[in-house]
Coordinates of all heavy atoms in Angstrom, one line a residue:
Q860 N 136.1 97.6 165.6 CA 137.1 97.3 166.6 C 136.9 95.8 167.1 O 137.8 95.0 167.3 CB 137.0 98.2 167.8 CG 137.5 99.5 167.5 CD 137.4 100.6 168.6 OE1 136.5 100.3 169.5 NE2 138.0 101.8 168.6
E861 N 135.6 95.5 167.3 CA 135.4 94.1 167.7 C 135.8 93.1 166.6 O 136.3 92.0 167.0 CB 133.8 93.9 167.8 CG 133.2 94.8 169.1 CD 131.8 94.5 169.2 OE1 131.1 93.9 168.3 OE2 131.3 95.2 170.1
E862 N 135.5 93.5 165.3 CA 136.0 92.5 164.2 C 137.5 92.3 164.2 O 138.0 91.1 164.0 CB 135.5 93.1 162.8 CG 134.0 93.0 162.7 CD 133.6 93.6 161.3 OE1 134.5 94.2 160.7 OE2 132.5 93.5 161.0
Q863 N 138.4 93.3 164.5 CA 139.7 93.1 164.4 C 140.3 92.3 165.6 O 141.3 91.6 165.4 CB 140.4 94.6 164.4 CG 140.2 95.4 163.2 CD 140.7 96.9 163.2 OE1 141.5 97.2 164.1 NE2 140.2 97.7 162.2
N864 N 139.7 92.6 166.8 CA 140.1 91.7 167.9 C 139.9 90.3 167.7 O 140.7 89.4 168.1 CB 139.5 92.3 169.2 CG 140.0 93.7 169.6 OD1 141.1 94.1 169.2 ND2 139.1 94.5 170.3
Q865 N 138.7 90.0 167.1 CA 138.3 88.6 167.0 C 139.3 87.9 165.9 O 139.7 86.8 166.1 CB 136.9 88.6 166.4 CG 136.3 87.1 166.1 CD 134.9 87.1 165.6 OE1 134.3 88.1 165.4 NE2 134.5 86.0 165.4
F866 N 139.7 88.7 164.8 CA 140.6 88.1 163.9 C 141.9 87.7 164.5 O 142.6 86.8 164.2 CB 140.8 89.2 162.7 CG 141.6 88.7 161.6 CD1 141.2 87.7 160.7 CD2 143.0 89.1 161.5 CE1 142.0 87.3 159.6 CE2 143.8 88.7 160.5 CZ 143.2 87.7 159.6
K867 N 142.5 88.6 165.4 CA 143.8 88.4 166.0 C 143.6 87.1 166.8 O 144.6 86.3 166.8 CB 144.2 89.6 167.0 CG 144.6 90.8 166.1 CD 144.9 91.9 167.1 CE 145.3 93.2 166.3 NZ 145.6 94.3 167.2
E868 N 142.6 86.9 167.7 CA 142.4 85.7 168.5 C 142.4 84.5 167.6 O 143.1 83.5 167.9 CB 141.2 85.9 169.3 CG 141.3 86.9 170.3 CD 140.0 87.2 171.1 OE1 139.0 86.4 170.8 OE2 139.9 88.1 171.9
E869 N 141.8 84.4 166.5 CA 141.6 83.3 165.6 C 142.9 83.0 165.0 O 143.3 81.8 164.9 CB 140.7 83.5 164.6 CG 139.2 83.6 165.1 CD 138.2 84.0 163.9 OE1 138.6 84.4 162.8 OE2 137.0 83.9 164.3
V870 N 143.8 84.0 164.6 CA 145.2 83.6 164.0 C 146.1 83.0 165.1 O 146.8 82.0 164.7 CB 145.7 84.9 163.4 CG1 147.2 84.7 163.0 CG2 144.9 85.3 162.2
A871 N 146.0 83.5 166.3 CA 146.9 82.9 167.3 C 146.5 81.5 167.6 O 147.3 80.5 167.8 CB 146.7 83.8 168.7
S872 N 145.1 81.2 167.7 CA 144.7 79.8 167.9 C 145.1 78.8 166.8 O 145.7 77.8 167.1 CB 143.2 79.8 168.0 OG 142.7 78.4 168.2
L873 N 145.2 79.3 165.6 CA 145.6 78.5 164.4 C 147.2 78.2 164.5 O 147.6 77.1 164.2 CB 145.2 79.2 163.1 CG 145.3 78.3 161.8 CD1 144.6 77.0 161.9 CD2 144.8 79.1 160.7
S874 N 147.8 79.2 164.9 CA 149.4 79.1 164.9 C 149.7 78.1 166.2 O 150.7 77.3 165.9 CB 150.0 80.4 165.3 OG 149.7 81.4 164.2
E875 N 149.0 78.1 167.1 CA 149.2 77.0 168.1 C 149.1 75.7 167.7 O 149.7 74.7 168.0 CB 148.3 77.4 169.3 CG 148.7 76.5 170.6 CD 147.9 77.0 171.8 OE1 147.1 78.1 171.6 OE2 147.9 76.4 172.8
K876 N 147.9 75.4 166.9 CA 147.5 74.1 166.4 C 148.8 73.5 165.4 O 149.0 72.4 165.4 CB 146.3 74.1 165.5 CG 145.1 74.1 166.2 CD 143.8 74.2 165.3 CE 142.6 74.3 166.1 NZ 141.4 74.3 165.2
T877 N 149.3 74.3 164.7 CA 150.4 73.9 163.7 C 151.7 73.7 164.4 O 152.7 73.2 163.9 CB 150.5 75.0 162.6 OG1 150.8 76.2 163.0 CG2 149.2 75.0 161.7
G878 N 151.9 74.4 165.7 CA 153.1 74.3 166.4 C 154.1 75.3 166.1 O 155.4 75.2 166.5
F879 N 153.9 76.3 165.2 CA 154.8 77.4 165.0 C 155.0 78.3 166.0 O 156.2 78.6 166.4 CB 154.3 78.1 163.7 CG 154.6 77.5 162.3 CD1 153.6 76.9 161.8 CD2 155.8 77.6 161.9 CE1 153.8 76.2 160.6 CE2 156.1 76.9 160.6 CZ 155.1 76.3 159.9
F880 N 154.0 78.8 166.7 CA 154.2 79.8 167.8 C 153.1 79.4 168.9 O 152.1 78.9 168.5 CB 153.8 81.2 167.3 CG 154.6 81.7 166.1 CD1 153.9 81.7 164.9 CD2 155.8 82.1 166.2 CE1 154.5 82.1 163.8 CE2 156.6 82.4 165.0 CZ 155.9 82.4 163.8

Side-chain angles (χ1 to χ4, degrees):
Q860 288 174 345
E861 290 177 4
E862 289 177 353
Q863 291 176 14
N864 292 333
Q865 182 181 358
F866 182 73
K867 288 179 181 179
E868 292 174 0
E869 290 175 351
V870 170
S872 173
L873 190 57
S874 298
E875 188 175 356
K876 284 182 181 180
T877 57
F879 277 100
F880 309 101

